[in-house]
Each structure stands twice: as C-alpha cells, then as structure tokens.
Amino acid sequence: MTDHPIPLSALNQYAYCPRRCYLIYAESEFKDNIHTQSGTEEHERVDQLQHEIKNGVRVEFALPVWSDEHDLTGRCDVVEFHPDGSVFPIEYKLGRRKQWLNDDLQVAAQALCLEEMLQLDIQTAAIYHIKSRRRREVSLSAILRQQLFDTIDAVKKLLAQAIPPPVTPDKKRCEQCSLNSLCEPELLQANASIKHLADHLFDTDY
C-alpha cells in the first residue's frame, strides 16, 4: 500500500505502460513531448471554465473527485448533471476517436469516485476526442469495472515496490513516449539480452 491516494491518471498510465507509471508516480520523473504538451494545453483551456447551464444540464469543469473506499483522488475534466438526476463524467483526450482501454479505465475511475461521493449509480461515461471533435460513450459494464478494480490493486502494489518494473514488450508505445530518454528501453532490453547470453555461455544445450 502507498501512503497517499492513487491519482486517477496513474490508472491510465499503468494500463499504457507500468514502467512509465512507476517513473512518474514513484520517482517523480516526467518530461513533455509534443503530444503531452498539446494535451496539457487543452486541459488547461477546459479547466479555465468553471460551470455553465446548457438546456437544463449543469456542466462542471475540473471537478475534484475522490474515493475513500478505493483510495483514489483526482478530478474530472467535465461532469454533466442532468435534470433527471443522472451524472455523466467526460474525459478529454487529444487524439482521434478510438477506443483505448487506458482511457476507459480513467473515466470509469472518475465515475466510481462520483458514485461514492453522490451515492448514486452511473452507467455511462464518455471520452471526448479533441481531434475528431466527437464523444465516444463508455459503458460502465461489469467487465470494465472488474478491470478497473484489478488495475487499482496493481497500481498500489507497483508503487509500493522499491524498483521499477521491466520495459513494456510493446515497442510501439516506447516510440511516442515522452519518458523514452529517461527510461532507455533499448539499453535495458540490450542489457537483458546480454545477461541472458552470458547466463547460457557454457550451456552446451543452448
């Protein structure tokens, strides 16, 4: 267990790459690239708004949320409060409209916090894909909720470790990662290969 609540964004980072999650949240390492900087600027633009009313729907921006039960904290980019009492969290993402599990987990975690805070059930959330200028609804199914609970447990265990996890096997994710120069995945993978060869140097069956 960690001494502090888990940031909601850590769940997204873990689902993308556990090593990246560890470097950011356990070792406080972070570097911007063009993708992260653009995303930050867009979130700052959204966060400048406070609230508004549209067709009877109250819209709150940059709303702080938390869960004492699951030890989570963070904020929602946008939350819609509808006249019928339903609540609809929306997470803004820079890219085009496409389903990514890490994004779905993050907005599902926002819904989980809101459910605890407001004592209600939330069945649907959404991702707003900025480049496509379109929403993608996310069904908060039993499967997604179980994936979320598993991810929360995994992040807590990860951040309690003394050393970072290995490099992700998905090399495509490393290419666009802003922490590539800090993580040095190519060097770590090369060292692992050298160690493996050294361990089998005198193995006649290898």
Side-chain angles (χ1 to χ4, degrees):
M1 293 289 291
T2 59
D3 295 331
H4 304 286
I6 302 298
L8 298 181
S9 55
L11 305 174
N12 187 312
Q13 299 291 354
Y14 178 88
Y16 184 83
C17 172
R19 183 175 176 84
R20 176 180 170 87
C21 178
Y22 187 91
L23 292 175
I24 293 173
Y25 297 100
E27 298 189 351
S28 300
E29 298 282 4
F30 188 78
K31 288 181 67 177
D32 267 324
N33 63 12
I34 187 172
H35 303 292
T36 58
Q37 184 60 41
S38 297
T40 298
E41 290 172 356
E42 184 60 32
H43 277 84
E44 288 176 348
R45 185 191 70 78
V46 173
D47 290 350
Q48 288 174 1
L49 304 172
Q50 294 182 349
H51 67 272
E52 61 185 26
I53 305 294
K54 286 185 176 181
N55 300 320
V57 177
R58 179 163 59 90
V59 184
E60 296 286 344
F61 300 89
L63 182 67
V65 294
W66 62 87
S67 167
D68 293 329
E69 179 180 353
H70 298 284
D71 205 24
L72 300 172
T73 186
R75 64 180 179 177
C76 301
D77 287 338
V78 175
V79 181
E80 294 179 349
F81 294 85
H82 291 254
D84 63 0
S86 62
V87 177
F88 194 71
I90 305 168
E91 173 68 12
Y92 275 53
K93 293 300 178 184
L94 182 64
R96 297 188 181 280
R97 190 177 186 273
K98 185 176 181 180
Q99 183 175 6
W100 298 103
L101 177 59
N102 50 314
D103 293 341
D104 289 1
L105 289 172
Q106 185 174 356
V107 78
Q110 295 173 7
L112 188 70
C113 292
L114 288 166
E115 287 181 329
E116 181 179 324
M117 293 168 61
L118 303 174
Q119 294 297 296
L120 50 73
D121 293 327
I122 299 176
Q123 299 301 319
T124 309
I127 306 292
Y128 181 79
H129 298 271
I130 296 168
K131 283 189 177 180
S132 299
R133 297 182 180 181
R134 293 178 62 191
R135 282 188 185 184
R136 177 176 58 82
E137 288 199 354
V138 178
S139 174
L140 303 178
S141 64
I143 293 175
L144 181 59
R145 287 175 184 270
Q146 187 58 55
Q147 290 174 313
L148 173 60
F149 297 145
D150 292 343
T151 303
I152 292 170
D153 290 341
V155 170
K156 289 178 180 179
K157 292 176 182 177
L158 174 76
L159 299 184
Q161 295 178 189
I163 58 174
V167 174
T168 176
D170 189 348
K171 295 182 179 179
K172 290 183 179 179
R173 297 190 175 191
C174 297
E175 294 172 2
Q176 300 296 325
C177 179
S178 62
L179 298 187
N180 191 293
S181 61
L182 293 171
C183 178
E184 298 184 321
E186 295 85 359
L187 178 60
L188 291 172
Q189 289 166 345
N191 287 343
S193 297
I194 292 170
K195 183 180 184 303
H196 180 74
L197 291 172
D199 290 342
H200 294 276
L201 184 61
F202 298 106
D203 188 347
T204 57
D205 295 327
Y206 180 66

